[in-house]
């Protein structure tokens, strides 16, 4: 009976709005009780769908799809009727929901459905998913929910969304980011100076204008330890992928400790939403590294796996132990395992070349020295970061004999070298090694002199991206770093003023990363063992299977 | 007495030149271009020819050889000095032979034959006195000077044959020849130049500002990014300090890395160098090939305690083998590296290779 009434009402769009309207109002009232600072996931989804719907409606008005419009309301009328009725019933009887829900995605592919119908379908789907999570009639519901989802889950999702920080030349993407940041109340960092045309798709920030200058005091949206972390990243106080990841995890531990679940919210969902603006903020301070990205994925997964029956204190304690375990396993113990393998490769009388300051390589060399291996080290450094000096200090303090040169003297020093040890920022799925700029050069010249190149990298830095050159996805550092004063003269002082109407004439390029092709690398030492560069996708696959 | 005055004046000039060579050789002072050094050397040699006392060609050659040895000893890395001395010696031989009436051609071609047959007959020949030898030699040296003055222009004139529009050209450090080459091409074509700054002296900065003031779109990169950006480069054009006898280069440090990166990407490597940089040395003397300057450039004294515990090297030059070079552009045109040995035999006499 209720069905018949509703099916009649559905003919007119107005009546459709009543019954789902009541439910929506209840939810909105509930939400209005909370601080409406952040929109819940459902509301965001709804807004997005509404916008999409509006756009599609506009297009369809112009297109010749009126026949379809006539057919759809009748077809869709039937399904929402059933879905609404089922939504009103207790969620313990989802069996009748299964068939209409499976119909609805087919119908929803066609454009120009009314908003209410979409909302109803979505709510029904969410109810179905929630009930499946509560463990009632799991198999049947999983079948239903998997049917309801778009049919892509057989293979891994092929196309991921392109990260914003490589789309600076696309005004639509920039606008989208600006809106997102506005919603999250994070200030937008502005680009600085003239960018070299090959890199106009990347951001270029100045270190003299940190993001924190644009935040009002007191900042209520961003946790203070995250603000401090962002400042440390953007000023270059914390550098190196391991250091950044560990600092991030410690900051998030602090966030979790200070977190308290607002009423009527679940910790698993609200905490993830709370972390999102922090991550945007850190991304604005300095683009996230691969190690940080993997750590964040892990934290989000752990948080969403917290069951809603857990009390807040227990949940927080569990999360903190998870984070500690991650740091211990993936970074500290991994470093020890890698040193164990690497020390087998260091023999007495070796002359080892290292580049820049890699915490892992330094660790390996110190361990080898403690194990009474006799070797000497050549530290190669490059402008403008001059990170090698830090490595030099650490090694000399241990008592290791060191030589220090700049990268332009590489051809001079390489005939003396017996092995090259390099650190990595990330290992890409096609076997390329992404590391500090200059690493590929060292590997190239070492190959020309037939010196073996060994890359040391923990498995948590393995990343599913593929890249073939150093242009598409890179980071541009402050261009003013290249300026140097020699003999009282600073030639590049006025580089910004050399401009013509057609664009800047003089550009300074300060790249941060580059990719080394796998044929230059002889061995990769990871905590799983010593593998060739081409086995990286195998390791990634094993990791996915584990998870 | 006028003779004595001339002599003291001459020796003063020679001493002054030697002192300047010793001082100006270090890269931290105002750098003298090789062209300047070559011109000054040639002018000084002309003065020696004009003012010193000598009776026969053999005397003159001994005199010049002696002064030349002193000059090269003052700054061994400045090879243009030695090259000019050898050119002048060759000029003297030629003028002598011409005054003596014999054909130059046969002299050159038969040198091997003469070695095997007539033995030491060459030595006596240079003792004959010719009245006009002095004038002839001075005239020939003047011709050499005009040639030196025109080298940069000759090289720049060939620029448009090698650079097309919208090209990306890479260079390293600062070379006046390459600067003139690129500026000449920029008058007619639009292209983009990437300059590697070449630490620790960072002469690339000067080059970049000068090029951008001429209207060329320039980018400065750090040395570490050479391989990273090489995939987008169409040509690599560099200058050099010396061209060695086997076709290799002694160029500023970092050039070998640049050449290897260009080879990996199959990018042509073009060397713009005038002929007075061609030196009959081979790169096998390890201790004389490299030149080092103060390690303060690399690791400054402000680093404190670790300074005493580390070895720091700051080499100035790099050796680039001839297999990595595609083309030499010089004032006499373009040549492949495999042809360099032939050019050398045209410029210098084999007996002058060892001063």
């Amino acid at each position: 009976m209720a069905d018949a009434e509703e099916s009649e009402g559905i003919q007119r769009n107005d009546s459709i709005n009543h019954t789902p309207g009541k439910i929506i109002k209840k939810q909105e009232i509930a939400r209005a009780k909370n601080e409406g600072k952040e929109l819940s996931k459902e509301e965001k989804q709804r807004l997005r769908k509404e916008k999409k719907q509006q756009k599609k409606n506009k297009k369809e008005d112009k297109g010749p799809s009126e026949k379809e419009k006539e057919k759809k309301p009748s077809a869709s009328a039937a399904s929402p009727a059933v879905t609404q009725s089922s939504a009103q019933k207790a969620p313990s009887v989802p069996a009748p929901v299964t068939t209409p829900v499976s119909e609805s995605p087919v119908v929803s592919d066609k454009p120009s459905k009314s908003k209410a119908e979409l909302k109803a379908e979505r709510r029904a789907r969410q109810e179905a998913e929630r009930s499946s999570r509560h463990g009632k009639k799991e198999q049947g519901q999983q079948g239903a929910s998997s049917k309801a989802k778009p049919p892509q889950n057989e293979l891994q999702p092929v196309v991921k969304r392109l990260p914003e920080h490589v789309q600076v030349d696309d005004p639509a993407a920039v606008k989208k980011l600006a809106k997102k940041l506005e919603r999250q109340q994070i200030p937008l960092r502005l680009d600085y100076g003239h960018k070299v045309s090959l890199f106009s798709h990347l951001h270029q920030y100045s270190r003299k204008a940190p993001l924190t200058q644009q935040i009002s005091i007191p900042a209520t949206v961003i946790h203070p330890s995250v603000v401090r972390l962002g400042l440390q990243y953007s000023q270059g106080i914390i550098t190196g992928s391991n250091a950044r990841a560990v600092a991030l995890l410690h900051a998030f531990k602090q966030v979790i400790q200070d977190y308290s679940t607002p009423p009527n919210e679940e910790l698993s969902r609200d905490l993830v939403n709370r972390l999102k603006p922090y991550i945007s903020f850190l991304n604005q301070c300095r683009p996230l590294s691969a190690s940080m990205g993997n750590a964040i994925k892990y934290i989000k997964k752990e948080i969403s796996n917290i069951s809603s029956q857990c009390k807040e204190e227990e949940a927080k304690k569990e999360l903190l132990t998870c984070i500690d375990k991650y740091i211990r396993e993936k970074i500290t113990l991994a470093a020890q395992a890698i040193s164990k393998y690497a020390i087998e490769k260091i023999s007495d009388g070796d002359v080892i070349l290292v580049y820049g300051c890699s915490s892992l390589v330094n660790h390996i060399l110190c361990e080898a020295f403690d194990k009474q291996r006799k070797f000497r080290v050549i530290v190669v450094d490059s402008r403008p970061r001059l990170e090698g000096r830090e490595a030099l200090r650490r090694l000399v303090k241990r008592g290791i004999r060191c030589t220090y040169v700049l990268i332009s003297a590489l051809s001079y020093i390489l005939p003396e070298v017996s092995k090259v040890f390099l650190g990595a920022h990330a290992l890409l799925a096609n076997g390329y090694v992404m590391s500090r700029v200059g690493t590929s050069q060292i590997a190239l010249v070492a190959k020309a002199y037939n010196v073996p190149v060994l890359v040391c990298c923990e498995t948590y830095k393995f990343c599913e991206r593929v890249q073939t050159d150093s242009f598409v996805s890179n980071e541009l550092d402050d261009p003013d770093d290249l300026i140097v004063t020699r003999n009282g003269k600073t030639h590049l002082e006025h580089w910004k003023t050399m401009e013509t109407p057609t664009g800047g004439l003089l550009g300074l390029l300060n790249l941060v990363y580059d990719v080394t092709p796998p044929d230059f690398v002889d061995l990769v030492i990871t905590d799983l063992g010593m593998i060739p560069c081409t086995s990286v996708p195998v390791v990634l696959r094993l990791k996915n299977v584990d998870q | 007495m006028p003779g004595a005055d001339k002599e003291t004046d001459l020796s003063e000039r020679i001493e002054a030149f030697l002192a300047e060579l010793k001082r100006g050789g270090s890269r931290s002072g105002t750098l003298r271009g090789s062209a300047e050094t070559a011109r000054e050397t040639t002018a000084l040699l002309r003065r020696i020819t004009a003012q010193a006392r000598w009776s026969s060609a053999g005397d003159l050659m001994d005199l010049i050889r002696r002064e030349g040895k002193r000059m090269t000893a003052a700054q061994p890395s400045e090879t243009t000095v030695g090259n000019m001395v050898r050119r002048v010696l060759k000029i003297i031989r030629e003028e002598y032979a011409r005054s003596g009436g014999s054909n130059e051609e046969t002299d050159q071609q038969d040198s091997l034959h003469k070695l095997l047959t007539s033995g030491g007959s060459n030595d006596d020949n240079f003792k004959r006195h010719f009245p006009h030898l002095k004038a002839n030699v001075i005239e020939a040296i003047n011709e050499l000077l005009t040639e030196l003055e025109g080298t940069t222009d000759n090289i720049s004139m060939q620029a448009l044959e090698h650079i097309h529009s919208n090209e990306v050209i890479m260079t390293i450090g600062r070379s006046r020849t390459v600067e003139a080459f690129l500026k000449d091409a920029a008058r007619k074509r639009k292209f983009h130049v990437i300059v590697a700054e070449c630490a620790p002296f960072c002469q690339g900065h000067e080059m970049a500002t000068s090029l951008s003031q001429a209207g060329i779109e320039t980018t400065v990169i750090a040395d570490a990014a050479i391989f990273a950006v090489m995939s987008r480069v169409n040509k690599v054009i560099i200058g050099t300090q010396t061209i060695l006898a086997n076709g290799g280069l002694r160029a500023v440090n970092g050039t070998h890395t640049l050449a290897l990166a260009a080879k990996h990407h199959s990018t042509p490597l073009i060397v713009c160098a005038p002929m007075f940089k061609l030196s009959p040395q081979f790169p096998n003397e390890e201790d004389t090939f490299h030149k080092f300057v103060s390690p303060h450039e690399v690791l400054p004294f402000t680093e404190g305690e670790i300074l005493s515990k580390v070895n720091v090297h700051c080499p100035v030059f790099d050796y680039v083998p001839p297999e990595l070079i595609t083309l030499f552009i010089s004032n006499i045109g373009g040549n492949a590296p495999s042809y360099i040995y032939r050019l050398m035999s045209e410029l210098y006499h084999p007996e002058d290779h060892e001063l």
Side-chain angles (χ1 to χ4, degrees):
Chain A
M1 278 206 313
D3 294 343
E5 283 176 3
E6 284 163 359
S7 59
E8 281 180 6
I10 279 155
Q11 298 300 326
R12 289 167 288 132
N13 276 343
D14 300 330
S15 58
I16 286 170
N17 283 328
H18 287 312
T19 33
K22 282 185 200 163
I23 299 171
I24 293 170
K25 273 186 188 166
K26 277 184 196 166
Q27 289 176 336
E28 278 181 334
I29 290 167
R31 232 167 263 123
K33 283 184 187 165
N34 305 333
E35 326 284 352
K37 272 186 192 160
E38 291 182 37
L39 302 170
S40 76
K41 223 186 347 179
E42 291 178 5
E43 280 185 334
K44 286 183 197 163
Q45 270 188 351
R46 204 186 307 150
L47 281 170
R48 245 184 278 142
K49 284 257 174 170
E50 282 176 9
K51 279 186 195 159
K52 262 195 215 166
Q53 198 51 47
Q54 283 167 6
K55 282 186 198 164
K56 280 182 185 166
N57 281 339
K58 281 182 195 166
K59 277 189 196 165
E60 285 303 324
D61 286 340
K62 296 172 190 172
S65 60
E66 291 175 356
K67 286 181 192 173
E68 287 185 331
K69 270 190 198 172
E70 289 169 10
K71 284 183 194 168
K72 271 168 239 146
S74 48
S76 56
S79 43
V82 188
T83 55
Q84 284 163 37
S85 54
S86 61
Q88 285 173 335
K89 289 176 196 166
S92 55
V93 191
V97 182
T98 56
T99 33
V101 169
S102 57
E103 276 183 322
S104 49
V106 177
V107 180
S108 62
D109 288 340
K110 299 176 196 167
S112 77
K113 289 198 67 187
S114 77
K115 292 185 227 169
E117 285 158 4
L118 286 169
K119 282 182 218 165
E121 281 159 37
R122 217 181 311 116
R123 225 178 317 111
R125 235 179 282 150
Q126 281 167 4
E127 292 293 339
E129 282 169 42
R130 208 172 293 168
S131 55
S132 70
R133 258 211 292 140
H134 285 298
K136 291 175 187 172
K137 296 190 184 176
E138 278 175 332
Q139 289 169 358
Q141 282 137 31
Q142 273 177 8
S145 50
S146 61
K147 273 191 206 168
K149 283 180 199 163
Q152 269 186 22
N153 281 343
E154 301 280 323
L155 294 164
Q156 295 283 343
V158 175
V159 175
K160 295 178 202 144
R161 237 182 333 170
L162 201 58
E164 182 279 331
H165 69 269
V166 298
Q167 282 188 306
V168 179
D169 55 347
D170 180 12
V174 175
K175 240 194 280 179
K176 199 167 144 200
L177 173 76
K179 274 195 207 154
K180 172 176 149 203
L181 290 179
E182 222 182 284
R183 224 177 335 119
Q184 293 175 337
Q185 296 170 284
I186 308 274
L188 177 69
R189 200 169 180 194
L190 295 169
D191 282 354
Y192 167 76
H194 159 66
K195 270 188 268 188
V196 179
S197 54
L198 284 169
F199 291 94
S200 56
H201 61 286
L202 297 173
H203 283 296
Q204 182 173 279
Y205 299 127
S206 164
R207 198 162 297 130
K208 295 198 196 71
L211 199 56
T212 46
Q213 282 175 352
Q214 300 171 37
I215 300 181
S216 59
I217 296 169
T220 45
V221 178
I222 312 174
H223 192 277
S225 57
V226 174
V227 175
R228 185 178 68 175
L229 188 67
L231 196 59
Q232 282 171 332
Y233 283 163
S234 70
Q235 299 301 105
I237 298 172
I238 295 187
T239 51
S241 49
N242 278 343
R244 284 166 75 190
V246 170
L248 176 77
L249 290 170
H250 282 303
F252 277 1
K253 267 171 65 177
Q254 188 67 40
V255 167
I256 291 173
Q257 267 172 353
D258 295 339
Y259 171 74
S260 53
T261 325
N264 296 336
E265 289 286 341
E266 282 189 36
L267 181 134
S268 54
R269 258 178 281 159
D270 186 61
L271 185 55
V272 176
N273 289 338
R274 197 62 72 84
L275 289 180
K276 277 189 193 158
Y278 300 164
I279 295 169
S280 305
F281 174 74
L282 292 175
N283 208 357
Q284 286 288 94
C285 289
R286 193 179 160 187
L288 298 180
S289 65
S291 55
M292 288 164 72
N294 288 344
I296 289 173
K297 263 190 231 159
Y298 175 76
I299 291 181
K300 282 190 177 168
K301 191 173 71 81
E302 287 298 312
I303 292 176
S304 41
N305 280 347
I306 299 261
S307 65
S308 54
Q309 265 140 8
C310 233
K311 271 189 280 202
E312 191 178 313
E313 285 308 314
E314 274 179 42
K316 290 210 283 197
K317 218 188 286 180
E318 199 185 313
L319 285 175
L320 294 176
T321 43
C322 275
I323 292 180
D324 281 330
K325 193 172 74 128
Y326 188 80
I327 296 179
R328 199 177 60 242
E329 274 179 20
K330 305 281 183 181
I331 302 178
T332 322
L333 289 180
Q336 287 180 14
I338 293 176
S339 329
K340 203 162 60 84
Y341 289 125
I343 288 173
E344 292 169 29
K345 293 288 173 193
I346 300 179
S347 26
D348 284 344
D350 260 348
V351 180
I352 298 178
L353 186 121
V354 299
Y355 177 60
C357 185
S358 165
S359 53
L360 186 56
V361 175
N362 290 344
H363 184 261
I364 292 173
L365 292 176
C366 294
E367 290 275 308
F369 190 71
D370 288 339
K371 295 222 164 64
Q372 314 299 329
R373 292 274 200 277
K374 306 269 176 293
F375 59 90
R376 66 184 178 92
V377 175
I378 298 180
V379 178
V380 176
D381 202 8
S382 75
R383 280 197 75 236
R385 288 177 160 243
L386 293 173
E387 293 174 327
R389 292 194 186 164
E390 181 55 42
L392 192 65
R393 271 182 225 121
R394 290 187 201 168
L395 294 173
V396 168
K397 214 187 278 187
R398 281 303 194 98
I400 303 176
R401 262 193 312 150
C402 294
T403 307
Y404 179 80
V405 287
L406 286 181
I407 197 170
S408 38
L410 192 60
S411 311
Y412 166 71
I413 204 87
L414 213 61
E416 296 178 17
V417 175
S418 62
K419 286 190 185 72
V420 177
F421 273 79
L422 299 172
H425 171 259
L427 241 63
L428 305 174
N430 57 343
Y432 279 63
V433 179
M434 180 164 170
S435 184
R436 187 65 82 217
V437 68
T439 312
S440 54
Q441 220 165 291
I442 298 211
L444 167 81
V445 185
K447 184 97 184 166
Y449 282 88
N450 271 327
V451 175
V453 174
L454 292 90
V455 172
C456 307
C457 184
E458 300 95 333
T459 46
Y460 87 104
K461 289 183 193 162
F462 284 22
C463 137
E464 278 164 7
R465 261 187 321 142
V466 286
Q467 223 177 302
T468 50
D469 59 32
S470 323
F471 289 87
V472 181
S473 180
N474 207 329
E475 198 186 318
L476 295 178
D477 209 357
D478 193 348
D480 289 334
D481 286 344
L482 284 177
I483 301 179
V484 72
T485 305
R486 282 183 55 88
N487 302 327
K489 278 191 262 186
T490 315
H491 290 284
L492 292 180
E493 212 171 347
H494 306 289
W495 67 279
K496 283 181 285 219
T497 56
M498 298 186 184
E499 287 208 14
T500 55
T502 54
L505 274 183
L506 186 56
L508 302 185
L509 186 61
N510 192 355
L511 283 178
V512 182
Y513 298 118
D514 73 4
V515 282
T516 310
D519 31 336
F520 291 160
V521 178
D522 293 306
L523 189 64
V524 178
I525 307 180
T526 68
D527 38 324
L528 295 176
M530 301 196 253
I531 57 174
C533 240
T534 45
S535 300
V536 171
V538 175
V539 173
L540 280 170
R541 186 143 178 247
L542 288 176
K543 266 205 317 180
N544 286 339
V545 166
D546 280 342
Q547 287 168 1
Chain B
M1 286 164 23
D5 279 343
K6 261 203 246 172
E7 273 191 27
T8 47
D9 178 54
L10 184 63
S11 51
E12 266 175 32
R13 281 183 193 269
I14 296 177
E15 295 306 320
F17 184 62
L18 286 176
E20 236 190 279
L21 271 181
K22 275 193 197 146
R23 215 177 346 140
S26 80
R27 291 276 171 144
S28 45
T30 46
L31 187 59
R32 307 154 109 250
S34 313
E36 237 180 270
T37 318
R39 239 176 284 139
E40 283 190 25
T41 316
T42 319
L44 190 61
L45 291 173
R46 182 180 58 183
R47 195 176 278 274
I48 293 176
T49 317
Q51 292 178 350
R53 262 186 297 168
W54 51 277
S55 53
S56 68
D59 288 342
L60 178 60
M61 279 167 50
D62 286 335
L63 178 64
I64 288 189
R65 210 174 278 145
R66 202 173 52 232
E67 296 301 329
K69 265 198 203 125
R70 283 179 67 203
M71 287 195 261
T72 47
Q75 188 62 249
S77 67
E78 195 62 56
T79 44
T80 44
V81 173
N83 295 347
M84 289 298 104
V85 170
R86 292 183 186 98
R87 289 289 287 272
V88 169
L89 287 173
K90 177 130 205 256
I91 286 175
I92 298 172
R93 281 177 210 265
E94 279 176 9
E95 290 303 323
Y96 184 86
R98 202 179 300 141
S99 307
S102 58
N103 206 352
E104 306 169 25
E105 288 279 338
T106 51
D107 269 342
Q108 268 181 334
Q109 282 170 358
D110 294 356
S111 56
L112 184 60
H113 180 245
K114 276 197 182 136
L115 263 176
L116 295 172
T117 55
S118 40
S121 56
N122 272 337
D123 288 357
D124 310 319
N125 286 354
F126 289 116
K127 292 289 183 269
R128 278 161 57 189
H129 174 78
F130 291 110
H132 301 289
L133 185 63
K134 193 174 202 167
N136 289 348
V137 168
I138 290 181
E139 204 184 305
I141 296 182
N142 283 337
E143 275 176 27
L144 179 60
L145 271 171
T146 24
E147 184 196 316
L148 286 180
E149 274 160 36
T151 48
T152 317
D153 290 331
N154 278 339
I155 293 176
S156 318
M157 281 193 316
Q158 304 173 51
L160 283 174
E161 291 170 29
H162 297 282
I163 299 180
H164 61 77
S165 50
N166 275 333
E167 244 194 309
V168 179
I169 295 177
M170 185 154 191
T171 183
I172 187 169
R174 178 162 191 226
S175 163
R176 282 170 193 74
T177 319
V178 175
E179 213 180 305
F181 190 81
L182 293 175
K183 281 184 181 169
D184 202 86
R187 283 190 290 131
K188 300 269 175 65
R189 305 240 158 102
K190 275 245 152 294
F191 53 91
H192 189 119
V193 176
I194 299 180
V195 181
E197 67 176 5
C198 187
F201 311 112
C202 294
Q203 295 193 320
H205 294 188
E206 243 182 283
M207 175 87 156
T209 34
S210 152
L211 286 177
S212 59
Q213 273 162 3
I216 304 176
E217 203 179 322
T218 323
T219 304
V220 178
I221 62 167
D223 296 331
I226 287 177
F227 185 70
V229 303
M230 182 58 80
S231 49
R232 294 294 171 274
V233 173
N234 300 117
K235 278 195 180 74
V236 180
I237 301 183
I238 56 174
T240 174
Q241 205 260 355
T242 312
I243 305 176
L244 298 166
N246 64 343
L249 298 181
R250 187 209 288 199
V252 75
N253 66 341
T255 314
H256 189 213
T257 310
L258 184 65
L260 283 172
K263 185 85 180 185
H264 181 262
H265 290 279
S266 300
T267 312
L269 178 69
I270 298 177
V271 180
C272 288
M275 271 296 116
F276 64 79
K277 287 191 178 170
L278 175 57
S279 163
Q281 285 174 318
F282 279 90
N284 35 19
E285 303 103 27
E286 276 302 321
D287 46 349
T288 51
F289 183 83
H290 280 292
K291 176 180 157 186
F292 298 90
V293 290
S294 162
H296 165 75
E297 312 280 351
V298 173
L299 193 60
F301 295 121
T302 47
E303 287 299 312
E305 344 170 306
I306 53 173
L307 270 182
S308 51
K309 301 184 189 138
V310 291
N311 300 333
V312 180
H313 299 288
C314 188
V316 179
F317 298 123
D318 240 355
Y319 168 63
V320 182
E323 304 88 56
L324 301 175
I325 303 168
T326 318
L327 186 67
F328 280 98
I329 296 181
S330 65
N331 45 318
I332 53 178
N335 299 105
S338 44
Y339 191 65
I340 293 292
Y341 79 97
R342 197 80 193 100
L343 293 174
M344 214 172 54
S345 67
E346 283 177 19
L347 292 177
Y348 313 122
H349 195 273
E351 285 189 7
D352 294 331
H353 287 206
E354 286 295 319
L355 270 183

